[in-house]
């Protein structure tokens, strides 16, 4: 996987190894729009990637006649889309679409799953609003970012936070890296060249047909955004990228509480 880090990312792929990643999003299809190219590159390199989707996407779709079917439909769409980029491990928190909040119940669920999987990278939607493209900042997206960011420090690594988890054998865990996407562009500090995986990303997005009635327009928009991100990353003309705000949670210079 080729990475351009001209924006001063703390993550250096030549020195920092990634073997396991856990991704948190609000709805089925969020991860495919935000990071499917990067995920395809990871899985192609042998990285184990898991998804956690916090809602069932029950408020999605356009057809009133599908209300009783939409949850099962979207779960199946996400299963098929994930398989296209090499992911089979998918978890749900079953929160209500449109009502997600960073409650302790949600944060406990985040801590529980991270302690179970113990990833090198947690990938999450960003807690800050993007004023340039407010569609990136659905309230559920912001709630995911806030819940995950609160969870990874300090609760995740505090054995006395959510003590029932420790009692069940889920020991405290110090997460190395938090990667955030769909935030303000000025926060982006890490770019992944996904040129080799553009078609896989688009194929994954296409699976979510219940959410995207105009696939041709969606294709044009997504291709243009990835090319624009490639230009922001300083890649050669015609190359595509995905952007992240990478945060070191526990590194060589970390001091607890500071």
């Amino acid at each position: 996987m080729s990475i351009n880090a001209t924006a001063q990312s703390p993550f250096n792929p030549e020195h920092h190894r990634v073997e396991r990643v856990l991704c948190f999003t609000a709805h089925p299809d969020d991860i495919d729009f935000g990071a499917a190219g990067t995920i395809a590159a990871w899985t192609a390199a042998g990285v184990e990637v898991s998804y956690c989707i916090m809602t069932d996407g029950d408020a999605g779709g356009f057809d009133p006649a599908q209300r009783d079917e939409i949850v099962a439909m979207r779960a199946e769409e996400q299963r098929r889309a994930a398989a296209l980029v090499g992911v089979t491990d998918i978890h749900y928190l079953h929160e209500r679409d449109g009502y997600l909040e960073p409650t302790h119940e949600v944060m406990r669920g985040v801590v529980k799953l991270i302690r179970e999987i113990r990833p090198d990278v947690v990938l999450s939607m960003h807690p800050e609003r993007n004023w340039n493209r407010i569609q990136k900042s659905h309230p559920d997206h912001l709630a995911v970012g806030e819940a995950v960011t609160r969870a990874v420090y300090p609760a995740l690594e505090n054995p006395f936070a959510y003590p029932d988890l420790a009692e069940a054998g889920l020991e405290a865990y110090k997460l190395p890296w938090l990667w955030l996407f769909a935030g303000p562009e000025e926060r982006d500090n890490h770019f992944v060249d996904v040129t080799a995986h553009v078609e896989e990303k688009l194929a994954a997005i296409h699976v979510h047909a219940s959410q995207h009635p105009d696939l041709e327009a969606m294709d044009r928009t997504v291709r243009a955004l990835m090319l624009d991100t490639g230009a922001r990353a300083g890649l050669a003309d015609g190359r595509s990228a995905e952007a992240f705000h990478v945060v070191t949670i526990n590194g060589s210079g970390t001091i607890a509480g500071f």
Side-chain angles (χ1 to χ4, degrees):
M1 178 171 54
S2 175
I3 296 181
N4 181 287
T6 57
Q8 306 304 312
S9 168
F11 182 90
N12 184 334
E14 294 184 4
H15 298 105
H16 300 121
R17 186 171 177 82
V18 174
E19 296 181 349
R20 188 174 291 112
V21 176
L22 174 56
C23 308
F24 288 92
T25 66
H27 316 104
D29 83 359
D30 289 337
I31 193 65
D32 298 299
F33 274 98
T38 299
I39 290 164
W42 268 326
T43 60
V47 177
E48 296 179 20
V49 179
S50 300
Y51 292 171
C52 179
I53 300 165
M54 292 196 181
T55 81
D56 293 318
D58 49 283
F62 300 93
D63 186 350
Q66 292 180 338
R67 291 305 90 196
D68 294 337
E69 308 167 14
I70 195 66
V71 170
M73 182 183 301
R74 298 199 72 183
E76 176 60 16
E77 287 175 341
Q78 185 62 89
R79 185 195 66 78
R80 289 167 47 218
L84 291 175
V85 294
V87 177
T88 58
D89 188 37
I90 305 175
H91 305 261
Y92 288 87
L93 295 189
H94 301 297
E95 295 293 316
R96 188 177 174 190
D97 188 349
Y99 290 78
L100 186 63
E101 297 287 349
T103 64
H104 277 286
E105 180 181 4
V106 170
M107 287 188 285
R108 179 190 175 281
V110 171
V111 170
K112 179 177 183 291
L113 191 56
I114 298 175
R115 288 187 184 180
E116 288 173 346
I117 293 177
R118 306 179 88 77
D120 304 296
V121 170
V122 162
L123 184 71
S124 172
M125 311 194 85
H126 207 289
E128 296 181 47
R129 195 177 303 279
N130 184 321
W131 291 108
N132 293 331
R133 289 190 66 241
I134 202 166
Q135 290 82 0
K136 281 187 175 183
S137 303
H138 185 296
D140 286 351
H141 298 181
L142 302 179
V144 169
E146 187 63 28
V148 171
T149 302
R150 290 191 200 181
V152 298
Y153 183 83
L156 178 63
E157 58 189 67
N158 182 352
F160 308 112
Y162 309 123
D164 59 310
L165 297 180
E167 291 167 4
L170 294 176
E171 297 180 359
Y173 175 65
K174 290 191 173 183
L175 176 72
W177 301 100
L178 176 63
W179 288 35
L180 301 164
F181 70 94
E185 289 183 1
E186 58 267 26
R187 294 292 191 199
D188 294 341
N189 63 359
H190 192 82
F191 298 90
V192 179
D193 184 337
V194 297
T195 306
H197 301 282
V198 168
E199 300 310 318
E200 290 164 88
K201 177 186 176 86
L202 290 171
I205 293 172
H206 279 205
V207 172
H208 300 280
S210 67
Q211 309 306 302
H212 309 294
D214 189 344
L215 289 175
E216 289 187 8
M218 182 275 298
D219 262 12
R220 290 193 300 271
T221 300
V222 173
R223 287 183 189 277
L225 287 171
M226 286 193 290
L227 287 169
D228 178 68
T229 304
R232 288 199 293 120
L235 301 180
D237 287 349
R239 301 198 68 80
S240 296
E242 290 175 339
F244 302 91
H245 177 193
V246 172
V247 180
T248 307
I249 304 300
N250 284 284
S252 59
T254 303
I255 303 174
F258 293 91

